[in-house]
Amino acid sequence: MEINFDVLPAIETNIHRLQREIDELSLISENPAPVVTRILFSEADLRARDFVKRLCREAGLAIREDAIGNIFACWDGADKKLPPVATGSHIDAIPNAGKYDGVVGVLGGIEAIRSLKESGFRPKRSIELIVFTSEEPTRFGIGCLGSRLMSGVLRWNKAAKLSDLNGKTLEYWRRHAECKGSLSSVRLAKNSYSAFVELHIEQGPILERERIAVGIVEKIAAPATLRVVLTGVGGHAGATLMPGRRDALLAGAEIALAVETAATGSGSADTVGTTGLFKIEPGAVNSVPYKALLEIDVRDTDRETRDAVLGQIEKAAGKICDRRKIGLKMLRLNADPPAVCSPALVDMALETCQAQNISGRKMISRAYHDTLFMARLCPTTMILIPCRKGYSHRPDEYSSPAQIEKGVCVLAGMLAMAAG
Ligand code: GLV
Ligand code: MN
Ligand code: MN
């Protein structure tokens, strides 16, 4: 596909090369294809990082990594004193995921840079690809770990206290991944970048339904996560009679239903609430569950509505546990505000679409992304592409090569315009 701007050379992206790389990366997984699972700093995640770094080196980019493992791959501009333009996304994947979430923004970002290079374009500002550490919350319960630290929203001394559900600390995992330097060095100054643009699959059905090639993000919905630990009393499933049982699972089940009630009754069609993690101990069919761990995801485009729902869930959990005589520990792992993207970048993206004859519309991202935190550092927007039936976070997630190609073309055009 050709992009022709008055001021820019024609840019030709190589979708076959990119699709091959997407397919190859998808095979680096903790589970057999078509499932993609790459939990932060697992062997699969580390091999995937090596794969991406090799592609960056082959593209002539200079690589550095920070103390949390964020990877920066830089194409030097003519004026290195100017803050660079950045793009990027993530390659970690939740359990039982597909091969496009995050990956399209990382490998598509490399392809956009390669095609700009091959077109003869020489940027004034440097262009940097960022591969963010742990956009997914699987390891530590908190998403966007890399960009959260970069933006300063998560302080390094708080991050240092993170540990996973097996009690392994962030420090343990940093050593395992051979991350160098102190966590305090991850934070970046405001305006370290002149702009950040992330390419991603939509993860919803709107673009496909409306047959629009590209969504330009104006706002990212506000996510929050609750962790709930319930302590009951275990016992023999046959010999412990029903009266007086203190079953932690049953309290958890009522809390999960309260999440549904609060989210559906918020008065906003935008509120979503999900109990995505529910673990019990000891996990034996003939034993009353004495412990339950739940993680609850609540989002809305409006922060106040989201917070009211969080409050309602917390209140309901208190009442349920009082009635059932269950010990309750409840923690807000994160409760982030929504991000507002830069109107100037949104306009630039729409102009780029127009110049390339690619249909585009403004939209809201209901999924969160590292852009949520990059928006604290510099002007941002996102380029979303359709995915089949809006499926995401499942192995049958799919965007066609033609759909990906259009997203990469818009990204390449944006990078060229923003880098000058
Ligand atoms: C990102 O993976 C999200 O859950 O929105
Ligand atoms: Mn995801
Ligand atoms: Mn993602």
Side-chain angles (χ1 to χ4, degrees):
M1 173 176 285
E2 293 225 324
I3 308 169
N4 275 306
F5 294 103
D6 292 345
V7 288
L8 294 171
I11 304 164
E12 212 166 303
T13 59
N14 185 339
I15 186 61
H16 304 294
R17 166 171 68 183
L18 173 56
Q19 187 62 54
R20 252 196 329 273
E21 290 164 353
I22 292 173
D23 293 342
E24 205 178 331
L25 180 53
S26 73
L27 298 175
I28 308 178
S29 165
E30 294 164 48
N31 296 108
V35 175
V36 179
T37 303
R38 279 192 297 265
I39 313 301
L40 173 71
F41 295 155
S42 63
E43 288 315 306
D45 185 41
L46 294 176
R47 281 201 291 131
R49 287 162 174 268
D50 287 343
F51 174 82
V52 170
K53 283 189 271 185
R54 175 170 64 75
L55 295 186
C56 290
R57 273 192 295 271
E58 286 170 4
L61 308 179
I63 296 175
R64 66 175 202 286
E65 285 170 75
D66 69 12
I68 194 68
N70 291 314
I71 300 166
F72 304 81
C74 187
W75 178 16
D76 281 342
D79 189 346
K80 289 200 221 150
K81 287 193 296 298
L82 293 173
V85 175
T87 185
S89 195
H90 62 100
I91 55 168
D92 66 322
I94 64 160
N96 203 44
K99 61 181 175 183
Y100 299 92
D101 177 3
V103 166
V104 163
V106 171
L107 299 185
I110 297 173
E111 181 54 35
I113 290 173
R114 281 189 304 227
S115 47
L116 284 173
K117 282 190 160 200
E118 287 163 8
S119 75
F121 176 74
R122 294 291 168 260
K124 191 160 153 216
R125 291 176 188 275
S126 298
I127 297 179
E128 210 158 87
L129 176 92
I130 310 177
V131 186
F132 293 96
T133 287
S134 194
E135 191 268 352
E136 300 292 5
T138 318
R139 172 78 67 202
F140 294 112
I142 183 168
C144 300
L145 182 57
S147 52
R148 218 175 255 280
L149 272 164
M150 273 166 70
S151 65
V153 170
L154 176 64
R155 300 292 161 123
W156 72 270
N157 46 348
K158 270 200 138 183
K161 294 194 183 115
L162 288 172
S163 61
D164 66 17
L165 293 178
N166 297 318
K168 291 204 167 110
T169 61
L170 177 61
E171 281 313 295
Y172 166 89
W173 283 111
R174 285 205 315 129
R175 271 196 306 278
H176 178 77
E178 298 179 4
C179 296
K180 306 270 185 312
S182 132
L183 276 180
S184 61
S185 62
V186 174
R187 184 170 183 174
L188 296 181
K190 212 169 158 61
N191 296 318
S192 296
Y193 293 100
S194 63
F196 176 77
V197 184
E198 180 170 1
L199 171 65
H200 205 283
I201 59 169
E202 182 198 344
Q203 306 182 284
I206 296 170
L207 294 172
E208 183 183 68
R209 197 167 59 216
E210 296 186 0
R211 296 174 188 278
I212 291 179
V214 154
I216 305 300
V217 173
E218 290 185 292
K219 189 175 181 186
I220 303 175
T225 316
L226 296 174
R227 178 175 285 168
V228 182
V229 181
L230 304 172
T231 311
V233 178
H236 193 287
T240 313
L241 294 179
M242 298 309 285
R245 276 200 189 189
R246 292 162 67 188
D247 182 325
L249 178 143
L250 293 179
E254 278 201 58
I255 292 170
L257 290 173
V259 171
E260 184 187 42
T261 304
T264 49
S266 76
S268 154
D270 279 337
T271 316
V272 283
T274 309
T275 303
L277 192 138
F278 196 143
K279 288 189 169 171
I280 53 163
E281 288 178 35
V285 67
N286 54 355
S287 186
V288 178
Y290 66 86
K291 194 165 176 189
L293 171 84
L294 284 71
E295 283 182 3
I296 299 164
D297 179 307
V298 181
R299 312 184 193 200
D300 197 286
T301 48
D302 178 66
R303 185 184 191 169
E304 281 72 38
T305 309
R306 195 272 322 271
D307 285 347
V309 169
L310 281 180
Q312 208 178 318
I313 295 168
E314 286 163 340
K315 206 163 142 200
K319 279 194 181 155
I320 292 162
C321 290
D322 277 352
R323 175 163 41 78
R324 289 184 170 273
K325 298 191 173 51
I326 296 288
L328 168 67
K329 267 209 275 185
M330 208 164 193
L331 200 64
R332 286 191 184 190
L333 295 183
N334 65 292
D336 303 302
V340 179
C341 294
S342 150
L345 280 183
V346 170
D347 285 349
M348 186 198 274
L350 290 171
E351 280 163 26
T352 312
C353 289
Q354 220 173 17
Q356 297 175 60
N357 233 346
I358 290 174
S359 55
R361 60 161 275 182
K362 295 182 190 177
M363 65 192 305
I364 288 172
S365 172
R366 292 174 194 283
Y368 60 71
H369 305 280
D370 293 296
T371 300
L372 190 66
F373 296 97
M374 291 305 284
R376 307 288 189 107
L377 289 175
C378 64
T380 58
T381 189
M382 295 186 67
I383 300 163
L384 300 183
I385 59 165
C387 55
R388 190 170 56 200
K389 296 185 183 167
Y391 291 168
S392 185
H393 283 185
R394 42 190 280 182
D396 52 356
E397 182 181 78
Y398 178 76
S399 294
S400 70
Q403 288 170 327
I404 297 170
E405 185 178 29
K406 291 197 176 93
V408 173
C409 284
V410 177
L411 177 62
M414 285 282 288
L415 293 177
M417 305 259 266

